[in-house]
Amino acid sequence: MDDSATPGHAPPVPPPVKIGLARTLVRLLLIGGLAVVLHRVFVWAEGWILQSEYGWAMPGLLVAVLLIYALLIAIPFVPGVEIGLSVLAAGGPEIAPLVWLATATGLTLAYMVGCFVPLKWLHRFLLDLHLTGAADMIARFEAVPPVERAAFVHSFLPARYCGWIVKYRYVNLAVLINVPGNSVIGGGGGIALISGLSGVFRFPPTVLTIVIATAPIPLAIWLFGWQMPWL
């Protein structure tokens, strides 16, 4: 039987260019709009915290800022590190553990969303961009049982040079979350989202990795009283 006739290997057919670009633009506008709205609310609440005359509202506003921050960092391509530092600047070292908790919560939320997003959505997105080769790869990947997906990815990488990418994927996840400028490759939220979407990251070790990867800076500031020029 011809593999191309099977559902898992049917050649992807992209939509007309205008329709694909229009759908992609709508998706980007929705994500960008959500990020802008959350960021504006975040800046507004942060301004309130910095005004001493509203000190009575500090606890509630601080919780609101941290919740907004957790949602904001879960959005792909949002520079979470910079936003986290601005939260520390607004609240001081005392709230560093809460910033750590909010960061880990936001990235875990992005990962969980990725776990429940159907791969066919990504397949459709790639087809809209006329990336038919990538779309076909996603279709083949979706047909593989989750327990075999790590081996599937490993089979496409040169074992001698790149096999460690899959073998030590949790270490690589922690590194990518902390790489400066990672917003270029999706930010912490995008990286966590793709990790969940891939199906090769199990929930307990992934959450543990996120918790550990987001700990160093907030805990160093809190435990050792480290000060930064802008704090």
Side-chain angles (χ1 to χ4, degrees):
M1 180 181 292
D2 184 4
D3 284 346
S4 64
T6 62
H9 295 83
V13 179
V17 175
K18 290 184 178 180
I19 295 177
L21 291 178
R23 288 204 295 238
T24 300
L25 181 60
V26 169
R27 295 186 188 105
L28 294 177
L29 287 175
L30 287 174
I31 295 174
L34 178 60
V36 169
V37 169
L38 287 175
H39 187 264
R40 287 184 179 274
V41 175
F42 169 82
V43 171
W44 172 81
E46 182 186 38
W48 269 59
I49 289 177
L50 291 174
Q51 299 181 44
S52 58
E53 60 265 30
Y54 296 107
W56 58 269
M58 173 73 80
L61 284 173
L62 186 57
V63 171
V65 165
L66 292 172
L67 288 175
I68 295 169
Y69 165 63
L71 293 174
L72 197 56
I73 199 175
I75 300 175
F77 296 100
V78 169
V81 173
E82 291 80 356
I83 296 174
L85 291 176
S86 69
V87 175
L88 287 171
E94 295 79 10
I95 70 163
L98 297 178
V99 172
W100 174 33
L101 176 62
T103 303
T105 299
L107 295 182
T108 299
L109 175 63
Y111 164 75
M112 293 179 65
V113 169
C115 289
F116 291 100
V117 170
L119 279 171
K120 63 181 180 181
W121 287 14
L122 179 58
H123 181 267
R124 187 180 303 120
F125 176 74
L126 293 171
L127 282 182
D128 286 344
L129 295 176
H130 282 239
L131 299 174
T132 54
D136 180 59
M137 179 67 69
I138 291 298
R140 294 169 60 190
F141 181 79
E142 186 177 16
V144 176
V147 295
E148 300 177 10
R149 287 180 177 176
F152 178 82
V153 174
H154 192 277
S155 67
F156 285 91
L157 299 174
R160 182 177 179 182
Y161 302 106
C162 301
W164 58 271
I165 293 177
V166 175
K167 184 177 181 180
Y168 302 107
R169 56 188 177 277
Y170 294 101
V171 176
N172 293 325
L173 174 61
V175 171
L176 287 176
I177 288 175
N178 285 289
V179 167
N182 65 8
S183 56
V184 176
I185 57 174
I191 293 167
L193 179 71
I194 293 299
S195 298
L197 192 64
S198 70
V200 301
F201 289 84
R202 294 190 296 115
F203 182 78
T206 300
V207 173
L208 180 61
T209 299
I210 290 174
V211 169
I212 294 174
T214 55
I217 293 179
L219 289 190
I221 293 173
W222 180 57
L223 293 175
F224 302 106
W226 290 2
Q227 294 287 337
M228 298 182 188
W230 53 86
L231 290 180

